[in-house]
Amino acid sequence: MSLAREIAPHLPLLRRYARALTGAQPSGDAFVAAALEAIVARPEEFPRNLDPRAGLYQVFHRIWESGNVEVEADETARGAKKAQERLRALSPLTRQALLLTTLESFTVQETGEILGRSPEEVNALIDEALEELDRQTKARILIIEDEAVIAMDLSDLVTGAGHDVCAVEATASAAVAAAKRERPDLVLADIQLADGSSGIDAVKEILASFEVPVIFITAFPDRLLTGERPEPTFLITKPYSPDMVRAAVSQALFFESTGSLN
C-alpha cells in the first residue's frame, strides 16, 4: 500500500488534533498542510518504524516545533491570541502530551515516540497537565444531551473537575432557551437530540446571541470532519473517556474559542 493511502484515513483526526492544539481551524489546517507537504517532498524520511498514524503525528510535531508556518492574521484574533497570553503560565508540551493520550488515544509509549520523549517524561507531563487543569478558573457549563445516562456522566465529570453545570437540556429549543437564560461559560453539545432536532442548529442559534466556547460530542465524527465547511474546533468522539472530556474542556476554556459551524 502506498504511503498516501496509509496516512489518508488518519487525516481527519489529525486535523481535529491540530485545531485543538492551536485553537482555530485555519491555523490547525495550515500546520497539517505543511506536514503533508513535507511528507510529499521527502517521503523517504517518513518514520516507517512507527505505525502510520503515529508517524503522521510525529511529522506534524516536527513542523509544529519549527513554527515556520504562516497563517492569516485575522485567524489569530480570537483563540490563538488569547492562548498566547496564557502560554507563560501553561506549558504547550504538557497540553500536547495530554491531548495525544486522551483526545487522540495514543499510548504513553506512542506519545513518547511522537514527541521524542521517554514514557517516564510523558507520564510526568500528563501529571503536570492535570495539575494545571485543577488550577483553572471554574466555569459554568451547559450540557445538551438527550441520553440521560450520558448527560449524568458528563455532569459528574465536569463537576468533578471543579466546574458547575448550569443546565442540562435534551432538545435544541430548550437548549437555546437555557443558554440565553444562563449565559454559560462553555457548551457541551451532542449532535443528534431527542426530538429529532440538531445540536448543531442549537449551537448556531446560541452563537448568534453571544460568543461561548463549544465542544461537540458525536459517535459519527466523520460527518463533521469533511473539510467541506467550517468545522468545530473541539470535538469529542463517543465512546469517550473521562480524561478526554476533561482535556477538551480545558482546551476550550484555554482558547475561549467559539464553535465554528457556520
Side-chain angles (χ1 to χ4, degrees), residues 48-127:
R48 285 291 191 175
N49 59 313
L50 300 180
D51 172 90
R53 182 170 178 242
L56 176 62
Y57 278 63
Q58 187 185 85
V59 173
F60 169 85
H61 270 278
R62 290 175 185 167
I63 301 299
W64 167 260
E65 291 170 3
S66 74
N68 295 323
V69 175
E70 294 184 2
V71 296
E72 295 180 9
D74 60 349
E75 173 274 320
T76 59
R78 284 191 46 78
K81 281 188 176 179
K82 188 67 175 179
Q84 289 302 319
E85 294 173 5
R86 298 180 177 180
L87 284 178
R88 293 190 185 95
L90 296 176
S91 165
L93 191 56
T94 61
R95 298 201 319 278
Q96 292 165 29
L98 187 65
L99 284 173
L100 287 169
T101 54
T102 56
L103 190 66
E104 301 305 315
S105 299
F106 283 109
T107 66
V108 169
Q109 178 67 36
E110 290 170 331
T111 299
E113 291 169 340
I114 291 169
L115 298 178
R117 305 277 171 164
S118 69
E120 293 76 18
E121 288 176 309
V122 171
N123 280 322
L125 288 169
I126 294 171
D127 289 342

Side-chain angles (χ1 to χ4, degrees), residues 5-19:
R5 291 192 176 186
E6 288 183 79
I7 65 175
H10 309 300
L11 290 176
L13 294 180
L14 177 63
R15 294 179 63 234
R16 175 187 69 176
Y17 171 72
R19 284 194 299 279

